[in-house]
Amino acid sequence: MPEHSTRRPADWYTSSPEQANWYKDPSHVVIPQPAEAGCSTHQPPPRSAGFEGHKAKKRRRTKIISLSVCAFLVCAALVVALWQITVQLKSLSSQTTESASAPTIVIPNGDDSSGSDSGSIYDDYQEYFEAYYSTSSEITIPAAENGTGVTLTLAEAQGEELSLQDIYDQVSPAVVGITAYIEGYEYSYGTGVVFTSDGYIITNTHVLEGCDAAVVKFSDGTEYDAYLVGSDDASDIAVLYIEGEDLPYAEFGDSDALRVGDQAIAIGNPLGETYSGTMTNGIISAINRNITYNGHTMTLLQTNAALNEGNSGGPLINAYGQVIGITNMKIMSTYYSTVEGIGFAIPSSVVKEVADQLIEYGVVLGEPTIGIVAGSVSAEAMELYGLPEGIYVSEVSEGSDALEKGLQVGDVIVAVNGETVTSVADVNLIKEGYEVGDTITLTVYRDGETFDLEIELVDKSQIEQTAP
């Protein structure tokens, strides 16, 4: 997973709940000792009238407080029990804040993570959002040529299983570090794996998201400028190209042949370049895990091989030295518990399907999209400009039916098919299962009025923008 100058998530994501503050009455109540107790040579003073009533009130108050505390603890226990089923996913990219002058990256999650009072200086909410979402998630790395005829080959496992040392010697030269930049500032760090001798590289889309340049570095220190062949946010697969010859490359195997219990080895760059070339091992813990992250549902391999930020885009390898997955995320914690040994990788069968289309067309064909760029309406914007909760439309793409039907920049989408939406992830989840040509209904807020628009989903390849 890449390292980012904000976040995030990060991420692409706090694991410990805020601790409650307990306040106690600092006063001390001294209860006189009964004369018949015989524990003291000093007898208490005569009890004044009303003392027993005062004592009874004290007991009642203590009982009420005790019952209130018990009720609170029971409610807290119920909340904890419900939250225990909630897990925290984190992408394996590593974000960096090494440069103090690096631009602030605002993650569109409905909160002004920059901490600035930016909204107060804009009279118009559209100007506010232009500043609020100043960092685009679009990848603007210089493009490589498409349609070259290159494909990703999946080979059958042959021969005997290799030792861990032999696997490392065979695969590690093809594992590269990827540093992504925004306007010259280092933004994220991840991993990639070379799969052709002339420079085609697989990595994760989220490693490159929002960046305009990337540099690939081999274990021997050699560096290359990278070009973007194509990327797909739904599968989290991206293909880069570097201009090189006779480069070390890894062989890919068939993930469909895997069984639970098979060896799984990861090589990558956890926590950035300092720990580059780290190998960890485990097993395939589960197959066909459906994981929803960032608004997309992916079917992934599960492994207990140790994965950390910076491993994003790196290879998961079988016992024969073949890449059978691309690591991209892990479960960090439940609400009250840290979690170890639950990592995920994109199966090589999916990687091939996506990579081949990216190399040929630059996009994955047949993926339905509305054709907008949007982000959550922040709490600050709702307060300053009286906007409803929803997602703010900052761009409507040429070639989309949304543009044809009259959706405009500045509109706020408050619901899709009658379901309230507050983030792009909400929209993507509703779109799951829809195909190109299907119709959905957007409930739109504009200038104090709310109305519905029926729009047709179009193919991503037909428009320039691809989110959501």
Side-chain angles (χ1 to χ4, degrees):
M1 310 174 184
E3 290 181 26
H4 294 261
S5 60
T6 60
R7 274 214 92 91
R8 191 259 212 150
D11 206 338
W12 258 70
Y13 300 124
T14 53
S15 61
S16 298
E18 184 178 353
Q19 299 299 315
N21 292 318
W22 290 82
Y23 299 93
K24 297 182 179 179
D25 186 351
S27 62
H28 298 279
V29 178
V30 178
I31 300 177
Q33 184 180 9
E36 63 272 17
C39 296
S40 173
T41 57
H42 301 284
Q43 298 301 317
R47 292 173 180 168
S48 60
F51 179 83
E52 287 298 336
H54 178 71
K55 185 175 180 181
K57 287 181 182 179
K58 287 280 188 178
R59 287 199 298 268
R60 285 197 298 271
R61 185 170 63 182
T62 301
K63 185 175 182 180
I64 290 171
I65 293 173
S66 298
L67 290 174
S68 299
V69 171
C70 289
F72 172 80
L73 292 175
V74 169
C75 291
L78 289 173
V79 170
V80 170
L82 291 173
W83 273 99
Q84 286 290 358
I85 64 174
T86 301
V87 296
Q88 183 185 20
L89 287 169
K90 184 170 180 61
S91 67
L92 295 174
S93 63
S94 178
Q95 300 177 341
T96 179
T97 55
E98 290 179 356
S99 175
S101 59
T104 299
I105 310 303
V106 179
I107 303 300
N109 60 0
D111 299 318
D112 188 353
S113 58
S114 67
S116 66
D117 188 21
S118 58
S120 62
I121 65 174
Y122 300 109
D123 295 328
D124 181 83
Y125 71 86
Q126 293 192 31
E127 292 182 5
Y128 166 89
F129 278 105
E130 286 179 9
Y132 188 82
Y133 290 115
S134 58
T135 301
S136 170
S137 61
E138 183 184 4
I139 301 172
T140 56
I141 295 171
E145 181 184 0
N146 294 112
T148 58
V150 173
T151 59
L152 175 61
T153 301
L154 303 184
E156 292 184 5
Q158 296 181 348
E160 297 182 355
E161 295 185 359
L162 304 177
S163 68
L164 292 176
Q165 292 84 355
D166 288 341
I167 290 172
Y168 187 82
D169 291 342
Q170 177 175 306
V171 181
S172 63
V175 178
V176 296
I178 297 175
T179 306
Y181 296 87
I182 295 178
E183 297 180 354
Y185 295 102
E186 184 175 335
Y187 174 69
S188 66
Y189 193 88
T191 305
V193 55
V194 183
F195 66 94
T196 68
S197 63
D198 58 348
Y200 282 87
I201 299 168
I202 295 287
T203 188
N204 288 144
T205 297
H206 74 256
V207 172
L208 309 172
E209 195 170 36
C211 297
D212 53 33
V215 172
V216 170
K217 186 174 183 178
F218 284 80
S219 57
D220 64 0
T222 306
E223 294 186 350
Y224 296 84
D225 290 331
Y227 299 89
L228 181 66
V229 176
S231 65
D232 179 61
D233 54 348
S235 63
D236 200 20
I237 288 295
V239 179
L240 295 174
Y241 173 74
I242 58 175
E243 295 177 340
E245 296 180 356
D246 298 324
L247 298 171
Y249 65 94
E251 181 180 89
F252 276 65
D254 186 2
S255 58
D256 290 342
L258 290 172
R259 298 174 59 193
V260 172
D262 285 349
Q263 280 199 66
I265 299 97
I267 301 177
N269 306 306
L271 307 182
E273 190 172 3
T274 302
Y275 298 101
S276 62
T278 294
M279 181 173 76
T280 58
N281 73 308
I283 61 170
I284 298 295
S285 304
I287 296 172
N288 296 331
R289 287 291 196 207
N290 290 325
I291 304 295
T292 299
Y293 176 73
N294 249 18
H296 297 289
T297 299
M298 294 175 273
T299 301
L300 305 174
L301 302 172
Q302 181 183 328
T303 181
N304 66 339
L307 303 175
N308 292 283
E309 292 185 9
N311 275 111
S312 277
L316 190 68
I317 308 158
N318 65 15
Y320 302 91
Q322 298 173 318
V323 178
I324 41 80
I326 297 296
T327 59
N328 69 328
M329 68 177 67
K330 67 182 293 187
I331 293 179
M332 300 287 288
S333 67
T334 61
Y335 191 67
Y336 266 127
S337 304
T338 56
V339 175
E340 299 295 338
I342 303 182
F344 300 97
I346 306 162
S348 60
S349 58
V350 175
V351 176
K352 173 179 171 53
E353 180 181 346
V354 174
D356 286 352
Q357 290 204 54
L358 293 179
I359 295 169
E360 184 67 19
Y361 308 108
V363 296
V364 175
L365 300 181
E367 286 194 17
T369 183
I370 297 172
I372 60 174
V373 175
S376 299
V377 176
S378 67
E380 182 184 42
M382 286 188 277
E383 181 179 353
L384 289 171
Y385 305 108
L387 295 175
E389 193 172 32
I391 60 169
Y392 175 84
V393 178
S394 60
E395 185 171 336
V396 186
S397 301
E398 293 286 344
S400 68
D401 189 53
L403 182 64
E404 190 73 22
K405 294 295 175 59
L407 192 67
Q408 299 177 9
V409 171
D411 287 345
V412 176
I413 299 173
V414 297
V416 177
N417 290 347
E419 296 185 43
T420 300
V421 295
T422 60
S423 67
V424 173
D426 291 341
V427 178
N428 285 331
L429 287 174
I430 294 171
K431 289 199 298 100
E432 289 286 340
Y434 282 80
E435 298 180 353
V436 173
D438 289 345
T439 299
I440 62 173
T441 301
L442 306 180
T443 302
V444 179
Y445 171 88
R446 181 190 299 166
D447 298 330
E449 297 182 359
T450 302
F451 56 92
D452 289 341
L453 285 178
E454 288 193 1
I455 65 102
E456 184 178 302
L457 298 175
V458 298
D459 195 314
K460 277 186 179 182
S461 63
Q462 297 177 2
I463 61 176
E464 293 183 4
Q465 299 295 340
T466 61

